[in-house]
Each structure stands twice: as C-alpha cells, then as structure tokens.
Amino acid sequence: PEVLAEAAKISPDLSPQTLAGRLDLRSLPLITIDGETARDFDDGVCVVKKPGGRFTLYVAIADVSHYVAVGSLLDEEARRRGTSAYFPQRAVHMLPERLASDICSLIPGEDRLAVCAILHYDRTGRLKGQEFSRAVIRNHARLTYHIVHSLLTEDNRKLHSQYRPFLKMLQHMSDLCRLLRERRGERGSLLLSIPEAEVVLDDKGWPAEIRRVDSLVSHQLIEEFMIAANEAVSEYIGEPSLFRVHERPDAEKMAVFRTFLKHLGLNLPKEAHRNPRVLKGFLEEVQQTPYAPMVQLMLLRSLKQARYAGENLGHYGLATDWYTHFTSPIRRYPDLQVH
C-alpha cells in the first residue's frame, strides 16, 4: 500500500521545469515495434538516412529513473521484485501498473520522457559516432512484429496505405539491420535463429494449441537495434558498472556437444569453445544441412547462460568486450540501475 501511495502522488504532467535541459525529439517519427499482446512499451526506434548512405539510429528508452528515485519505496520494491513477470492472462509488474502501463510507457500520441542513444553509422554499418541524452519524445505509431514483417515483405496495398508515412523509414531500418548483422557476423557474433513455441489458450485459460513462431525480419530489426544500444551504453559508462556477461563455454560441455555432432557426421573445430568466430563458421556450414535447428538447440544447451555481473567479463555469444542491459527499465531492475 505504501508503494502504491507513493506512485499515486506522481504527476504525469510534463512541466517546463521537467523538460528544461532535455533534447526535444517529439517531431522525430519514433515508433514502437512489439508483440500483439505487449502490455508496456519501453523502447522506441527511428532511423534517418543521411547523404552518402549514412544512417543515424535513435533508440529512445522510457526514462523510468526520472520517476523512481534511488532509495524511495518504489525503488526498494522494484529491487526486491527484480523483474516483471508475464503470464498468459496477467502480469505481475516490477513497478506499480500506473507507472508501468501508463506514465512511463511509450503510449502512441503521448509525450514521454526518455533516455536516448543516438548512434551514427557509415554506409557499411560501422559506428562512427554516438551521443546520449535525456529527452522528451512522442511515439508516432504502435506497430507489431507481424505488421512490420508484412510491410517489408508483402505487397499488401491496404496495409501499405494505412502505414504509408513509415514505409520509407522501415526500409531504411531493414537496410541498417542487414548491415549491423553483417558487421556482427564478421566479428564472430553467433547469429542463432531457433523457432519458438507459442501456447494458445482457450477462453477458460486452458492450452488449446501450440504454434511454431519463426524469427521474422521485424524481430531482427529490434534485436539488432537493442544490441547496438546496449553495447554503446556499456562502453560509454565504462567501469564500474553493471554488465550482462556471457562467459566462454566449459570445455567439458563442448566435448559432449562434439560427441553428439560426430554421430551426425559433423566435426566441431577444437578452438570453438575459445573463439566464437570459429564456432560461427561451423554453424554457417551446418546451416546448409537439415540438422541445423537441432544442432543450434543442442549448442544453446552447451553454452553458459548469460548473467548480470559487476565485473566486465565480456560477452562470448555476441563477441563483444562491452555489454549491458539498458533497454527495458520498466520491467528489469538492472536496466533501471544502468539508467
């Protein structure tokens, strides 16, 4: 009750004093891209293509830290919960719903406070400059993964007409996404694409169907942009900080994985557990075989799980020395700490 009372006192009005010193990005055509059942929206994205094929990527994240003061009851409760938990028919939020689903959520058409990473890329997708700023933004459209996928891959005239103002930007997003994946692949980042399973419930809440959910172009857009922002923020903050680390796999587990592969007639190079680039090259060869989904799944079970740490141990799977979580402060306390 005390936490809810503290949340009830928070004013959603953005006064001139609140906006003073913030970058005004309300005219920027930021959009959100989430699943159909998303309950809160904490990341907005925008890509502007510049002369010479250069790109500027804006990743605007809800500025939860403006409303949740360090040491407040809201902060203590959020830390105790750690994350939001999402169930098929309800959510147990890390923050009171008034904040999670309203004041902090990037609701379409509403002015919202954000922390923005502005990343500048050359025509090949290499990072050439970066800026970080507290900002005020506006979500110009709430899109879903399936809508964006259809807009980019299908000739649906009705849908194209409905989202015409965003078509060119979405194409620029797709172009930048492709370049970022290429650059990540070059450094040895593991580009796994494993279908997921979605359980469909009936009106009474009982499982009625299990559907295969494939990774769409739109999923890749958000994945690449969030990885880029997380990496840039982590390097910008430096140490000390809170990191998302992924350590090298255990040699023993990789030995078991290697034995499994031999039964399929596949040979895993010895350096794979030390060098992600070697492992990536092997996965590219396997991709041409019907065993690819099974091999990727077994590989995931052989790798260590990513975790939070106060020590920078690097991220093996992403092949990067700097990585944190910055993009979901509404639902993850580590992200709020980084903010």
Side-chain angles (χ1 to χ4, degrees):
E2 298 85 359
V3 179
L4 292 173
E6 190 171 89
K9 295 177 183 176
I10 294 175
S11 171
D13 297 330
L14 302 183
S15 65
Q17 291 80 7
T18 299
L19 301 183
R22 285 183 177 264
L23 190 62
D24 192 338
L25 297 176
R26 284 175 285 191
S27 62
L28 197 70
L30 278 157
I31 60 173
T32 56
I33 305 174
D34 296 276
E36 282 80 356
T37 59
R39 295 179 175 93
D40 47 57
F41 312 105
D42 45 20
D43 52 274
V45 291
C46 174
V47 169
V48 177
K49 194 165 186 179
K50 303 290 184 69
R54 295 174 293 118
F55 298 90
T56 296
L57 167 65
Y58 295 83
V59 178
I61 308 300
D63 190 0
V64 180
S65 61
H66 174 81
Y67 300 100
V68 180
V70 174
S72 64
L73 294 176
L74 283 165
D75 180 47
E76 290 176 2
E77 179 69 7
R79 181 176 183 137
R80 188 178 70 82
R81 294 183 177 216
T83 66
S84 293
Y86 298 98
F87 298 95
Q89 294 167 312
R90 70 188 183 102
V92 179
H93 293 287
M94 180 181 81
L95 299 167
E97 193 162 353
R98 184 165 186 264
L99 287 175
S101 301
D102 185 8
I103 294 175
C104 294
S105 188
L106 307 185
I107 298 170
E110 299 290 338
D111 292 349
R112 288 290 185 264
L113 302 182
V115 183
C116 196
I118 306 171
L119 309 178
H120 305 285
Y121 296 93
D122 65 16
R123 60 188 301 171
T124 66
R126 287 182 168 81
L127 186 64
K128 292 299 181 181
Q130 59 190 34
E131 306 157 51
F132 303 93
S133 179
R134 305 275 165 176
V136 55
I137 64 163
R138 178 173 291 187
N139 178 5
H140 288 252
R142 185 281 205 249
L143 302 181
T144 67
Y145 291 119
H146 284 98
I147 287 175
V148 173
H149 180 78
S150 296
L151 289 171
L152 289 172
T153 62
E154 300 172 10
D155 186 19
N156 186 327
R157 292 186 179 182
K158 183 179 179 181
L159 204 61
H160 279 219
S161 176
Q162 184 178 352
Y163 294 100
R164 190 169 304 282
F166 306 102
L167 291 180
K168 184 175 287 188
M169 183 176 70
L170 287 172
Q171 189 56 58
H172 293 161
M173 285 183 173
S174 180
D175 294 341
L176 178 58
C177 170
R178 176 179 52 80
L179 292 170
L180 293 179
R181 283 181 74 82
E182 288 176 2
R183 300 293 80 78
R184 264 207 311 131
E186 286 174 357
R187 74 188 191 196
S189 187
L190 303 180
L191 305 176
L192 300 178
S193 180
I194 303 174
E196 296 183 4
E198 178 185 35
V199 180
V200 181
L201 306 181
D202 62 19
D203 295 339
K204 296 181 180 179
W206 289 94
E209 182 186 354
I210 299 178
R211 294 176 185 162
R212 173 185 167 125
V213 180
D214 291 302
S215 178
L216 305 175
V217 174
S218 47
H219 288 119
Q220 292 180 10
L221 291 183
I222 296 303
E223 179 184 27
E224 291 303 325
F225 297 165
M226 297 305 113
I227 288 174
N230 285 337
E231 193 173 346
V233 166
S234 181
E235 191 167 2
Y236 171 73
I237 294 175
E239 296 183 90
S241 184
L242 185 64
F243 299 94
R244 184 70 173 173
V245 303
H246 187 219
E247 296 153 280
R248 290 177 179 176
D250 291 325
E252 295 82 3
K253 282 196 172 184
M254 291 302 280
V256 173
F257 180 54
R258 187 174 283 108
T259 301
F260 161 77
L261 292 173
K262 284 183 179 178
H263 289 293
L264 302 178
L266 302 171
N267 291 309
L268 180 68
K270 289 184 179 180
E271 287 297 310
H273 72 285
R274 293 192 190 94
N275 189 343
R277 186 176 285 126
V278 173
L279 183 56
K280 176 185 172 293
F282 168 76
L283 289 174
E284 287 176 348
E285 294 178 12
V286 173
Q287 203 65 41
Q288 312 305 317
T289 74
Y291 301 128
M294 180 167 56
V295 169
Q296 290 187 88
L297 186 60
M298 292 303 292
L299 170 62
L300 271 184
R301 295 181 180 182
S302 304
L303 297 177
K304 289 187 176 180
Q305 284 190 315
R307 63 185 179 89
Y308 293 104
E311 181 184 3
N312 186 15
L313 303 173
H315 199 293
Y316 173 86
L318 293 175
T320 181
D321 294 328
W322 297 92
Y323 200 69
T324 190
H325 272 175
F326 154 77
T327 52
S328 297
I330 287 178
R331 58 190 176 89
R332 290 195 300 232
Y333 192 78
D335 300 51
L336 179 56
Q337 264 193 301
V338 168
H339 279 235

